[in-house]
Amino acid sequence: MNDPEAVAQFHAGGVSSTAMLMVYDFNARALDALLPEGARLLDLGVGSGRALAHLARHRPDLHITGVDLAPNMLATARGLFESEALDTRVALVEADFTALPESITEQHWDGISCMWTLHQLPDFEVLRAALRQIAALRDHTGAAVWLFDFARLQGPGTLDSMMAVADPALPPVLRHDGLASEAAAFTHDELTAELRAAGLGELSSGHARPIPWLQAFWAPRADGRPGGSPRFRPDRLPASARGDSALLRAGFTAKPF
Ligand SMILES: C[S@@+](CC[C@H](N)C(=O)[O-])C[C@H]1O[C@@H](n2cnc3c(N)ncnc32)[C@H](O)[C@@H]1O
């Protein structure tokens, strides 16, 4: 995902789309709950940085490294973090997270996140390489894990119908991207089986309700040290996104916060 126009649309959607805002809010709350004060977070597939910015704004104690393959995504993320003076705490690395360089794998991490990204992995072999990498990092560091993504639905028209009702103002390019991402995503059962095979069978999981189009898998730190900062306050969402965001949180079958 490196086409400049697609990157710009994705980045713009991160402030205008109700669906994207509620997802970023959900992810920030989950990561806050998993990461103790002063934690070091490794984010796989940082994209244009919107998801991380929702977290980093209200967790000034965190130190974060974001990895992505796409130079244009990284350049946009760099601009966002600089504009919000988050760049002193958020480092960006151009790399493939299915084969991370030693400069990343040798470091200590308290948390590993991967948000809205697994569906971009082209097949099960690449997914397995990504999950093996995450499992090795968790074994090595005891890091908490937070994986969040679309889930492929049984009915091919279901998400389209839902988006028409829930987010009617979504620009066509983001609507198309959302539908393509859902169609490319792994089902909840597929990810559950692959996580188990990768040695990550202990992760908890939940999914959206009533339509299970989003899924999450997570584990606290291996040493049991709880996350959460008393200073954390989620971003104040625009009024248009607040109701949907509350519904997403209430409907999710399980979550770490
Ligand atoms: C849909 S974006 C999500 C970005 C961000 N996490 C968010 O939630 O807004 C997925 C990102 O994953 C990146 N990506 C996909 N496969 C990757 C890989 N194997 N290694 C590194 N980055 C990858 C893409 O370049 C893209 O920027």
Side-chain angles (χ1 to χ4, degrees), residues 1-2 7 10 20 23-24 27 43-52 67-71 73-74 93-100 114-122 126 130 148-150 177 181:
M1 196 170 178
N2 194 44
V7 171
F10 182 75
M20 291 174 81
V23 163
Y24 293 150
N27 279 270
D43 184 54
L44 306 175
V46 58
S48 71
R50 292 279 189 216
L52 276 190
V67 174
D68 207 290
L69 272 178
M73 280 291 196
L74 288 169
V93 175
E94 187 178 327
D96 180 345
F97 66 70
T98 67
L100 288 166
C114 186
M115 299 179 271
W116 250 356
T117 290
L118 291 177
H119 66 272
Q120 292 200 351
L121 303 181
V126 183
F148 181 95
D149 200 14
F150 287 99
D177 186 54
S181 300

XYZ file of all heavy atoms in Angstrom, residues 1-2 7 10 20 23-24 27 43-52 67-71 73-74 93-100 114-122 126 130 148-150 177 181, ligand 1:
405
model
N 0.866 -1.185 0.000
C 0.000 0.000 0.000
C 0.899 1.230 0.000
O 1.174 1.813 1.027
C -0.877 -0.013 1.268
C -2.058 0.936 1.209
S -3.171 0.634 2.598
C -4.388 1.901 2.310
N 1.372 1.593 -1.226
C 2.344 2.686 -1.298
C 1.940 3.750 -2.307
O 2.593 4.797 -2.393
C 3.724 2.104 -1.650
C 4.832 3.103 -1.420
O 4.828 3.786 -0.381
N 5.741 3.225 -2.354
N -2.515 6.328 -0.251
C -1.998 6.689 1.076
C -2.689 7.965 1.570
O -3.149 8.047 2.724
C -0.462 6.879 1.028
C 0.049 7.466 2.342
C 0.235 5.562 0.729
N -6.304 7.220 2.574
C -6.334 6.448 3.826
C -6.056 7.378 5.008
O -6.742 7.339 6.033
C -5.291 5.328 3.743
C -5.260 4.434 4.940
C -6.250 3.484 5.143
C -4.240 4.540 5.882
C -6.228 2.646 6.255
C -4.203 3.707 6.989
C -5.204 2.758 7.171
N -13.228 4.473 10.872
C -11.797 4.478 11.198
C -11.565 5.077 12.586
O -10.764 4.557 13.362
C -11.019 5.225 10.111
C -11.013 4.427 8.798
S -10.264 5.290 7.409
C -8.521 5.011 7.692
N -12.396 2.608 15.291
C -11.399 1.532 15.367
C -10.118 2.028 16.042
O -9.535 1.347 16.886
C -11.127 0.965 13.958
C -9.832 0.170 13.917
C -12.293 0.084 13.527
N -9.673 3.227 15.705
C -8.468 3.767 16.343
C -8.686 3.951 17.846
O -7.807 3.658 18.658
C -8.063 5.092 15.692
C -7.597 4.929 14.259
C -7.763 5.936 13.326
C -6.977 3.757 13.841
C -7.332 5.779 12.006
C -6.551 3.593 12.535
C -6.728 4.605 11.624
O -6.302 4.435 10.331
N -8.575 0.526 19.521
C -7.196 0.027 19.607
C -6.388 0.773 20.667
O -5.585 0.169 21.389
C -6.518 0.135 18.244
C -6.879 -1.022 17.324
O -6.206 -2.047 17.319
N -7.958 -0.880 16.566
N 5.205 -1.644 16.834
C 3.971 -1.703 16.042
C 4.291 -2.167 14.622
O 5.089 -1.525 13.921
C 3.292 -0.330 16.017
C 1.958 -0.385 15.280
O 1.123 -1.228 15.661
O 1.755 0.402 14.343
N 3.646 -3.247 14.200
C 3.931 -3.862 12.900
C 2.881 -3.409 11.886
O 1.692 -3.676 12.057
C 3.914 -5.389 13.043
C 4.839 -5.929 14.141
C 4.660 -7.441 14.295
C 6.299 -5.597 13.858
N 3.308 -2.697 10.835
C 2.369 -2.148 9.863
C 1.805 -0.830 10.360
O 0.590 -0.654 10.457
N 2.688 0.123 10.634
C 2.286 1.397 11.260
C 1.458 2.250 10.302
O 0.659 3.083 10.729
C 3.528 2.166 11.767
C 4.509 2.436 10.646
C 3.170 3.472 12.429
N 1.588 2.017 8.991
C 0.819 2.791 8.014
C 1.110 4.269 8.123
O 2.258 4.701 8.309
N 0.064 5.085 8.014
C 0.258 6.539 8.049
C 0.274 7.077 9.473
O 0.324 8.294 9.666
C -0.827 7.232 7.225
O -2.067 7.146 7.886
N 0.221 6.192 10.456
C 0.451 6.594 11.835
C -0.781 6.982 12.639
O -0.674 7.265 13.833
N -1.954 6.958 12.008
C -3.157 7.416 12.733
C -3.443 6.582 13.989
O -3.775 7.121 15.029
C -4.385 7.345 11.827
C -4.377 8.344 10.681
C -4.827 9.700 11.151
N -5.012 10.583 10.019
C -4.738 11.879 10.027
N -4.237 12.448 11.104
N -4.956 12.617 8.968
N -3.360 5.240 13.844
C -3.706 4.387 14.984
C -2.775 4.671 16.159
O -3.220 4.851 17.302
C -3.635 2.916 14.586
N -1.484 4.756 15.865
C -0.522 5.001 16.945
C -0.695 6.384 17.559
O -0.519 6.562 18.762
C 0.910 4.867 16.427
C 1.494 3.468 16.371
C 2.982 3.571 16.080
C 1.265 2.716 17.671
N 6.941 -0.129 12.282
C 7.590 -0.750 11.125
C 6.614 -0.772 9.954
O 5.434 -1.089 10.139
C 8.008 -2.197 11.474
C 8.541 -2.921 10.254
C 9.027 -2.208 12.590
N 7.080 -0.462 8.779
C 6.242 -0.596 7.581
C 7.145 -0.773 6.363
O 8.292 -0.326 6.355
C 5.352 0.643 7.395
C 4.064 0.323 6.641
O 4.134 0.048 5.425
O 2.978 0.334 7.264
N 6.564 -1.422 5.352
C 7.271 -1.639 4.082
C 7.174 -0.444 3.157
O 8.012 -0.282 2.275
C 6.585 -2.784 3.322
C 6.966 -4.216 3.531
C 6.069 -5.084 2.655
C 8.416 -4.417 3.129
N 6.119 0.359 3.308
C 5.763 1.344 2.287
C 6.364 2.717 2.606
O 5.950 3.372 3.575
C 4.239 1.450 2.193
N 7.315 3.193 1.773
C 7.956 4.488 2.051
C 6.962 5.652 2.135
O 7.126 6.551 2.973
C 8.911 4.677 0.866
C 9.103 3.324 0.283
C 7.888 2.521 0.591
N 3.812 5.559 3.102
C 3.109 5.479 4.397
C 4.019 6.038 5.500
O 3.598 6.829 6.342
C 2.747 4.027 4.725
C 1.514 3.524 4.020
S 0.012 4.339 4.651
C -1.232 3.227 3.996
N 5.284 5.616 5.461
C 6.221 6.061 6.504
C 6.431 7.578 6.440
O 6.505 8.239 7.483
C 7.551 5.327 6.364
C 7.509 3.849 6.771
C 8.790 3.142 6.358
C 7.301 3.710 8.281
N 10.721 2.625 11.136
C 11.710 1.771 10.471
C 11.073 1.165 9.222
O 9.965 0.620 9.296
C 12.166 0.633 11.419
C 13.100 -0.332 10.696
C 12.835 1.203 12.665
N 11.780 1.266 8.091
C 11.285 0.631 6.864
C 11.770 -0.813 6.847
O 12.977 -1.069 6.742
C 11.786 1.397 5.635
C 11.166 0.889 4.347
C 11.619 1.691 3.137
O 11.860 2.917 3.266
O 11.746 1.084 2.062
N 10.845 -1.757 6.998
C 11.219 -3.174 7.029
C 9.985 -4.034 6.789
O 8.849 -3.575 6.947
C 11.846 -3.541 8.379
N 10.245 -5.287 6.451
C 9.185 -6.292 6.288
C 9.012 -6.978 7.646
O 9.966 -7.568 8.163
C 9.630 -7.290 5.213
C 8.612 -8.378 4.963
O 7.681 -8.562 5.778
O 8.758 -9.067 3.934
N 7.824 -6.927 8.216
C 7.706 -7.488 9.573
C 7.596 -9.014 9.571
O 7.515 -9.625 10.630
C 6.586 -6.828 10.374
C 5.181 -7.072 9.881
C 4.581 -8.310 9.990
C 4.442 -6.028 9.355
C 3.292 -8.530 9.545
C 3.147 -6.225 8.904
C 2.575 -7.474 9.005
N 7.583 -9.644 8.390
C 7.651 -11.108 8.383
C 9.102 -11.592 8.457
O 9.358 -12.782 8.592
C 6.972 -11.705 7.124
O 7.739 -11.344 5.976
C 5.557 -11.200 6.963
N 10.047 -10.669 8.334
C 11.474 -11.010 8.427
C 12.191 -9.783 8.987
O 12.898 -9.083 8.259
C 12.013 -11.388 7.058
N 12.004 -9.547 10.276
C 12.518 -8.304 10.880
C 14.036 -8.321 11.001
O 14.629 -9.380 11.258
C 11.898 -8.121 12.270
C 10.422 -7.738 12.267
C 9.824 -7.912 13.669
C 10.233 -6.296 11.792
N -0.253 -5.108 16.045
C -0.421 -5.196 14.596
C -1.893 -4.890 14.337
O -2.774 -5.679 14.701
C -0.040 -6.603 14.117
S -0.049 -6.750 12.321
N -2.140 -3.714 13.785
C -3.524 -3.233 13.690
C -3.935 -3.034 12.235
O -3.252 -2.316 11.489
C -3.647 -1.896 14.440
C -3.308 -2.033 15.926
S -3.406 -0.485 16.826
C -1.747 0.168 16.624
N -5.029 -3.657 11.876
C -5.611 -3.484 10.538
C -4.597 -3.786 9.442
O -4.528 -3.090 8.440
C -6.161 -2.063 10.392
C -7.652 -2.046 10.351
C -8.451 -3.150 10.344
C -8.524 -0.903 10.303
N -9.765 -2.753 10.298
C -9.838 -1.403 10.262
C -8.314 0.460 10.290
C -10.948 -0.556 10.214
C -9.409 1.298 10.231
C -10.709 0.811 10.196
N -3.827 -4.830 9.601
C -2.716 -5.105 8.684
C -2.635 -6.563 8.231
O -2.250 -6.823 7.096
C -1.392 -4.676 9.365
O -1.386 -3.247 9.439
C -0.166 -5.121 8.619
N -3.019 -7.518 9.080
C -2.830 -8.929 8.712
C -3.533 -9.279 7.402
O -3.061 -10.116 6.631
C -3.329 -9.860 9.838
C -2.496 -9.835 11.127
C -3.134 -10.731 12.184
C -1.055 -10.267 10.865
N -4.651 -8.604 7.096
C -5.380 -8.924 5.844
C -4.552 -8.575 4.603
O -4.886 -9.011 3.508
C -6.719 -8.178 5.798
C -6.563 -6.692 5.715
N -6.450 -5.888 6.818
C -6.462 -5.869 4.648
C -6.296 -4.636 6.433
N -6.301 -4.586 5.127
N -3.510 -7.754 4.772
C -2.677 -7.403 3.609
C -1.641 -8.485 3.299
O -0.982 -8.420 2.266
C -1.981 -6.064 3.843
C -2.966 -4.907 3.858
C -2.306 -3.577 3.598
O -1.095 -3.476 3.561
N -3.116 -2.552 3.453
N -1.498 -9.452 4.183
C -0.539 -10.531 3.906
C -1.164 -11.452 2.856
O -2.325 -11.846 2.974
C -0.207 -11.280 5.200
C 0.349 -10.362 6.315
C 0.676 -11.163 7.564
C 1.576 -9.590 5.823
N -0.419 -11.758 1.802
C -1.054 -12.337 0.615
C -1.547 -13.773 0.751
O -2.437 -14.178 0.029
C 0.053 -12.252 -0.448
C 1.327 -12.111 0.306
C 0.995 -11.430 1.584
N 2.767 -16.471 4.228
C 3.281 -15.183 4.726
C 2.689 -14.893 6.108
O 3.385 -14.393 7.008
C 2.972 -14.048 3.717
C 3.576 -12.736 4.195
C 3.529 -14.397 2.343
N 4.723 -14.189 9.644
C 4.462 -13.049 10.545
C 4.181 -13.539 11.964
O 4.724 -12.995 12.942
C 3.288 -12.236 10.020
N -5.192 -6.865 15.809
C -6.554 -6.404 15.479
C -6.691 -6.364 13.969
O -5.796 -5.891 13.267
C -6.762 -4.999 16.059
C -8.136 -4.442 15.785
C -9.142 -4.567 16.731
C -8.419 -3.820 14.585
C -10.418 -4.075 16.486
C -9.683 -3.323 14.323
C -10.686 -3.449 15.276
N -7.821 -6.862 13.457
C -7.977 -6.811 11.993
C -9.436 -6.989 11.584
O -10.298 -7.305 12.421
C -7.124 -7.902 11.324
C -6.848 -7.593 9.844
O -7.075 -6.439 9.421
O -6.404 -8.498 9.126
N -9.662 -6.812 10.297
C -10.916 -7.241 9.698
C -11.030 -8.747 9.872
O -10.010 -9.446 10.016
C -10.921 -6.968 8.192
C -11.073 -5.530 7.803
C -9.969 -4.761 7.465
C -12.333 -4.948 7.763
C -10.110 -3.443 7.074
C -12.493 -3.623 7.374
C -11.376 -2.870 7.034
N -11.904 0.167 -0.419
C -10.756 -0.382 0.311
C -11.228 -1.266 1.474
O -10.681 -2.343 1.713
C -9.885 0.776 0.827
C -8.603 0.264 1.463
O -7.888 -0.505 0.789
O -8.332 0.596 2.629
N -10.527 -5.180 1.775
C -9.773 -5.651 2.949
C -10.522 -6.770 3.665
O -9.932 -7.778 4.068
C -9.551 -4.491 3.929
O -8.815 -3.467 3.296
C -4.172 -0.786 6.276
S -2.607 -0.224 6.781
C -2.880 -0.096 8.529
C -2.046 0.974 9.146
C -2.243 1.233 10.633
N -1.834 0.109 11.448
C -3.669 1.635 10.955
O -4.333 0.890 11.665
O -4.092 2.689 10.512
C -1.565 -1.652 6.661
C -0.086 -1.312 6.591
O 0.673 -2.510 6.698
C 1.808 -2.391 5.853
N 2.299 -3.754 5.570
C 1.661 -4.759 4.934
N 2.452 -5.858 4.896
C 3.610 -5.530 5.517
C 4.812 -6.251 5.809
N 4.975 -7.531 5.448
N 5.793 -5.608 6.476
C 5.643 -4.299 6.858
N 4.530 -3.587 6.618
C 3.519 -4.179 5.954
C 1.287 -1.660 4.629
O 2.321 -1.027 3.911
C 0.308 -0.661 5.268
O 0.913 0.565 5.522
